[in-house]
Amino acid sequence: MIFSRKRAAGRHARDERAADVPEGAETPPAEPARGPYDVTEAPDGVQRLDLGSLQIPAVPDVEVRVQADQQGVIQQVVLVHGQSALQLGVFAAPRSEGIWDEVREEIRQSLFKDGAAAQEVAGEYGAELHARVRTDDGLTDLRFVGVDGPRWMVRAVYQGEAATNPAAAGPLAQCLDGLVVDRGGEAKPVREPLPLRLPREAGEAGQVEAAPTPGAR
């Protein structure tokens, strides 16, 4: 998919329970209700797989599959649970605005050019795209979710039952909710993928598996 720029919002929804604070009471600092978290906001005490720019929480029965080159640079990250999968990507964004609105529109146009219609649906993180694409294995349902953070954007693509029934996402949704992004301080072009690398111990153990997700380019 092709990525674009611009959006007039820079952070995903924060905890709406803050609205329940009694009038006159001191308002605590706003904290994200859930992830994906920026590394500066991530809760402590959670076991995570550190892939560099992405840290994936350990969730029972979720398998993390990565495709990496000989230098250990990750090209693709896919989480698998049962008959559902979740492909993750993280990209640089401007400091003052998110990019998911325009990214979503370009994904929709790209799917349309490939002969697939995409429907925009209101999801837990805001607007998402649902589409059915033709692959070598037949028709495949995809659900595209985007989350704007401070100078980054996470793109998550559900496939399988979780693509058509968000309630079935279960442990995969837990992984997305607990995801941590370490953007780093370096200047990067907008839409550039943030670097992902294998943990040293995984590379030494040879725990690398190619895991393409059909249609989720």
Side-chain angles (χ1 to χ4, degrees), residues 11-12 34-38 125 147 152 154 176-181:
R11 187 65 171 114
H12 57 281
R34 60 182 177 181
Y37 300 97
D38 189 74
Y125 285 100
V147 184
W152 51 260
V154 167
L176 182 58
D177 287 349
L179 196 67
V180 174
V181 178

Side-chain angles (χ1 to χ4, degrees), residues 113-193:
K113 289 177 182 177
D114 290 339
Q119 179 183 10
E120 188 165 298
V121 177
E124 292 185 352
Y125 285 100
E128 54 188 46
L129 287 180
H130 295 195
R132 178 170 291 179
V133 301
R134 188 172 298 280
T135 71
D136 294 338
D137 299 322
L139 292 175
T140 299
D141 290 299
L142 301 174
R143 176 161 63 96
F144 296 83
V145 177
V147 184
D148 286 314
R151 302 178 65 211
W152 51 260
M153 185 204 74
V154 167
R155 185 201 62 186
V157 186
Y158 285 99
Q159 181 179 345
E161 186 181 1
T164 55
N165 179 15
L172 295 178
Q174 284 183 252
C175 291
L176 182 58
D177 287 349
L179 196 67
V180 174
V181 178
D182 188 350
R183 163 66 171 77
E186 306 87 1
K188 294 183 181 298
V190 173
R191 307 186 309 277
E192 179 176 293

